[in-house]
Amino acid sequence: MNILVVEDDSDIGAMLSRGLSAEGFDVTVVGRADEALEAARQYNPCAVVLDIMLPDGSGIEVCRALRETGHSGPILFLSAKDEVRDRAEGLGAGADDYIVKPFEFAELVARLRAHLLHRLGDNHAGRIVAGRLVLDQSTRTVLFGEIHARLTEREAELLALLMATPNRPVPRGEIFDRLWANQGGASLNVVDVYVGYLRTKLAPVSRAGGPQVSTVRGRGFMLDLSAPAAAQ
């Protein structure tokens, strides 16, 4: 699991990198708000540990931007700001937790694992979440606000595959291998056919400003959490 650490204090960043790596995580450390958003786009981390006071902006705005672009994993604030209003602002921006500096590393790891297990429990319970889009696998129903749509079994499998890595393209060949390789007579074109079916089912979601399945030329298909509704 990749953890993104956004911390401008190099000593704290290095300590978190060493400690989290020793706990079995892959760790990416950046020290600026713009670097945080780029790293999140590039690596799609499972969780983010985020300082509030950054040299080029506020961690609060980074948190909001991550949620708006579809990051659904845990976000934990680390901050020296310890007033109740500071914690309330951080949690209100979309964070899952707020830890005041100085902090105990063991407590940070315990909270991080608890939030990750909670997210994993949601998925194991049959719900997959990407941004505001929810797929209930037990009923094969897509939910986005007040909008809902029923999918076929194969459409739901395709959407679940794309929701596992939102905003990152999945190659056409990988989709075929995961969903159709064991079915004799199927050709690679079946992927395009079912992507078309899925786009039709998600059209009301896209028109409402929600995610859509986009084609990334030469790279495959992805669940795009930020593209305008007209894009394909």
Side-chain angles (χ1 to χ4, degrees):
M1 288 185 174
N2 181 267
I3 307 298
L4 173 61
V5 174
V6 187
E7 171 59 67
D8 66 326
D9 185 314
S10 59
D11 290 336
I12 295 178
M15 181 272 290
L16 290 172
S17 180
R18 290 193 302 270
L20 291 171
S21 296
E23 293 289 330
F25 296 105
D26 296 323
V27 185
T28 301
V29 180
V30 299
R32 296 172 55 88
D34 57 353
E35 294 171 342
L37 296 176
E38 174 59 25
R41 184 197 64 78
Q42 182 175 355
Y43 299 112
N44 193 28
C46 294
V48 180
V49 178
L50 177 60
D51 191 9
I52 286 184
M53 294 182 288
L54 299 171
D56 62 331
S58 167
I60 297 291
E61 295 307 316
V62 173
C63 180
R64 290 194 180 107
L66 289 173
R67 292 304 190 207
E68 288 171 0
T69 55
H71 177 77
S72 58
I75 298 177
L76 286 73
F77 275 123
L78 281 181
S79 178
K81 302 175 72 174
D82 61 355
E83 298 290 336
V84 171
R85 63 176 179 270
D86 298 320
R87 297 195 294 271
E89 184 181 20
L91 296 172
D96 296 87
D97 212 335
Y98 191 108
I99 301 173
V100 176
K101 298 176 181 176
F103 61 93
E104 293 292 336
F105 179 74
E107 180 184 0
L108 169 66
V109 172
R111 293 193 184 195
L112 179 60
R113 290 193 185 281
H115 289 298
L116 286 168
L117 285 172
H118 177 74
R119 289 296 201 283
L120 187 62
D122 280 348
N123 286 351
H124 282 180
R127 296 173 68 251
I128 301 178
V129 180
R132 293 172 55 204
L133 190 72
V134 178
L135 172 62
D136 186 330
Q137 294 179 294
S138 63
T139 61
R140 299 197 298 271
T141 302
V142 176
L143 305 170
F144 182 80
E146 299 298 318
I147 300 170
H148 66 276
R150 291 292 298 275
L151 305 180
T152 66
E153 181 177 359
R154 191 48 52 89
E155 289 166 353
E157 291 173 346
L158 174 57
L159 181 58
L161 180 58
L162 297 175
M163 289 178 74
T165 55
N167 292 329
R168 298 181 66 182
V170 182
R172 181 183 278 102
E174 179 180 335
I175 296 173
F176 180 82
D177 290 343
R178 295 278 294 273
L179 301 183
W180 284 281
N182 295 328
Q183 295 189 5
S187 67
L188 196 60
N189 184 60
V190 72
V191 176
D192 300 82
V193 172
Y194 272 85
V195 165
Y197 293 158
L198 187 56
R199 281 175 172 158
T200 299
K201 295 286 184 71
L202 293 180
V205 171
S206 300
R207 286 195 294 268
Q212 66 175 16
V213 179
S214 296
T215 302
V216 182
R217 189 178 300 275
R219 298 181 64 191
F221 301 103
M222 74 175 183
L223 184 70
D224 192 337
L225 302 183
S226 59
Q232 287 290 318

